[in-house]
Amino acid sequence: GEPDMTRDTRATDAPRPNLLLLHGFMGSADDWSPLGLQDVARVTALDLPGHGLPPQSWPAGGSGFERTLDWLESALRQCGPRPRFLAGYSLGGRLALALALRCPHELDGLILLASSAGLAGNDARTARHRLDEQRARELVQDFPGFLDSWYRQPLFGELRHRPGFPAVLERRLRSDPRELARALVRFSPGKLPVFQEELARLDLPVLLLAGEEDVAYATLSRSLQQQLPRAQRVVLTGVAHALLEEDPAGCAREITRFINQIG
């Protein structure tokens, strides 16, 4: 199917940049709403396959990942003419990087929040894929229990103790666990391609955002900065991996600055 563009929140008055937004695992297009990015661009926020209410359908035919990229490329062109920017958080950042490497000529800038270029090493990839298959079974069998253990991971820092966390949990629990389980396996870092070798040829302005307390992804963002020819890196203080929930104002500030800087 064609991308569902029903969540397109574009204004029709001013010729502003177009911005396509890709959320993270278990998220939805609504995750971007607190950032208020419609003030700086005409925004299109997608629900990724298996996510949203009702769940976005999976693209038909071909390999799952390549067909997802075909679908995203179609969405990118539909979101409006250049200047055109692409932003992705976590899983959405991995997909955004893959899409930017596939069609850099379609973009004026790329924004990666708490993202990586992939999991290297066959042993690590095999172990991660097995772990995600096990997690997918747990997700279907006991969704609340899965969420509890998911957000206890060190990369989420103090998120569970923040005042807004019950609302995050409530949003997640409205999702379809079977569709999320399918997404967890299909988009596992153990299955997705590794893009390290291709980074040096991405001649595109890139903004890398990471949380100070998300040590793993802050380190990954430094590595990405060193490998990408035109990358700038910002580390947000006092937050971990869940940047959109923990510091929407900081994310919005840096994305706005980046888009305005490139024009």
Side-chain angles (χ1 to χ4, degrees), residues 104-172:
H105 52 281
E106 297 285 351
L107 288 168
D108 293 274
L110 173 66
I111 300 150
L112 302 176
L113 300 89
S115 303
S116 88
L119 185 62
N122 286 337
D123 290 349
R125 290 170 62 78
T126 300
R128 179 57 186 266
H129 188 225
R130 285 179 180 154
L131 174 62
D132 284 336
E133 287 183 321
Q134 177 191 327
R135 284 169 163 168
R137 288 191 291 271
E138 293 168 0
L139 200 162
V140 173
Q141 291 163 3
D142 178 10
F143 192 20
F146 169 85
L147 287 172
D148 181 66
S149 60
W150 182 263
Y151 286 114
R152 288 179 186 274
Q153 293 182 89
L155 81 165
F156 288 109
E158 296 298 307
L159 178 66
R160 288 182 304 120
H161 306 298
R162 294 189 184 271
F165 184 63
V168 173
L169 270 188
E170 189 184 345
R171 279 212 313 278
R172 299 298 180 249

Side-chain angles (χ1 to χ4, degrees), residues 184-212:
L184 180 57
V185 172
R186 287 193 176 182
F187 291 141
S188 169
K191 285 195 73 174
L192 294 189
V194 182
F195 304 116
Q196 298 285 354
E197 302 296 319
E198 301 168 71
L199 297 177
R201 67 173 176 81
L202 186 61
D203 187 25
L204 194 67
V206 181
L207 171 63
L208 303 166
L209 284 178
E212 174 189 39

Side-chain angles (χ1 to χ4, degrees), residues 81-120:
R82 293 178 62 179
R84 193 189 285 143
F85 292 81
L86 174 63
Y89 161 72
S90 199
L91 165 61
R94 176 79 60 82
L95 295 172
L97 178 59
L99 186 59
L101 287 164
R102 178 195 267 216
C103 51
H105 52 281
E106 297 285 351
L107 288 168
D108 293 274
L110 173 66
I111 300 150
L112 302 176
L113 300 89
S115 303
S116 88
L119 185 62

Side-chain angles (χ1 to χ4, degrees), residues 5-261:
M5 308 299 277
T6 55
R7 300 218 186 187
D8 187 339
T9 56
R10 285 178 285 176
T12 55
D13 48 358
R16 293 179 296 164
N18 286 289
L19 175 61
L20 181 65
L21 302 171
L22 308 179
H23 61 77
F25 174 60
M26 291 198 292
S28 73
D30 292 337
D31 288 2
W32 298 95
S33 298
L35 276 65
L37 293 170
Q38 61 275 12
D39 294 339
V40 70
R42 288 176 291 197
V43 172
T44 303
L46 289 183
D47 286 327
L48 292 176
H51 295 73
L53 292 171
Q56 172 70 274
S57 59
W58 290 85
S63 100
F65 184 67
E66 287 303 317
R67 279 299 290 126
T68 297
L69 284 188
D70 292 343
W71 177 78
L72 289 173
E73 188 175 346
S74 172
L76 185 65
R77 293 201 173 98
Q78 284 184 54
C79 84
R82 293 178 62 179
R84 193 189 285 143
F85 292 81
L86 174 63
Y89 161 72
S90 199
L91 165 61
R94 176 79 60 82
L95 295 172
L97 178 59
L99 186 59
L101 287 164
R102 178 195 267 216
C103 51
H105 52 281
E106 297 285 351
L107 288 168
D108 293 274
L110 173 66
I111 300 150
L112 302 176
L113 300 89
S115 303
S116 88
L119 185 62
N122 286 337
D123 290 349
R125 290 170 62 78
T126 300
R128 179 57 186 266
H129 188 225
R130 285 179 180 154
L131 174 62
D132 284 336
E133 287 183 321
Q134 177 191 327
R135 284 169 163 168
R137 288 191 291 271
E138 293 168 0
L139 200 162
V140 173
Q141 291 163 3
D142 178 10
F143 192 20
F146 169 85
L147 287 172
D148 181 66
S149 60
W150 182 263
Y151 286 114
R152 288 179 186 274
Q153 293 182 89
L155 81 165
F156 288 109
E158 296 298 307
L159 178 66
R160 288 182 304 120
H161 306 298
R162 294 189 184 271
F165 184 63
V168 173
L169 270 188
E170 189 184 345
R171 279 212 313 278
R172 299 298 180 249
L173 280 166
R174 288 200 292 265
S175 303
D176 181 331
R178 293 185 181 278
E179 287 296 319
L180 289 182
R182 185 192 290 192
L184 180 57
V185 172
R186 287 193 176 182
F187 291 141
S188 169
K191 285 195 73 174
L192 294 189
V194 182
F195 304 116
Q196 298 285 354
E197 302 296 319
E198 301 168 71
L199 297 177
R201 67 173 176 81
L202 186 61
D203 187 25
L204 194 67
V206 181
L207 171 63
L208 303 166
L209 284 178
E212 174 189 39
E213 294 171 13
D214 179 8
V215 177
Y217 278 85
T219 304
L220 286 168
S221 71
R222 185 182 296 114
S223 172
L224 281 171
Q225 183 187 25
Q226 291 165 351
Q227 295 172 83
L228 289 161
R230 300 170 64 190
Q232 48 185 278
R233 174 176 176 263
V234 176
V235 175
L236 298 173
T237 57
V239 295
H241 190 71
L243 300 179
L244 302 182
E245 280 83 21
E246 292 189 276
D247 193 5
C251 292
R253 180 187 68 242
E254 296 302 331
I255 292 171
T256 299
R257 179 190 58 76
F258 178 73
I259 289 176
N260 288 339
Q261 174 190 332

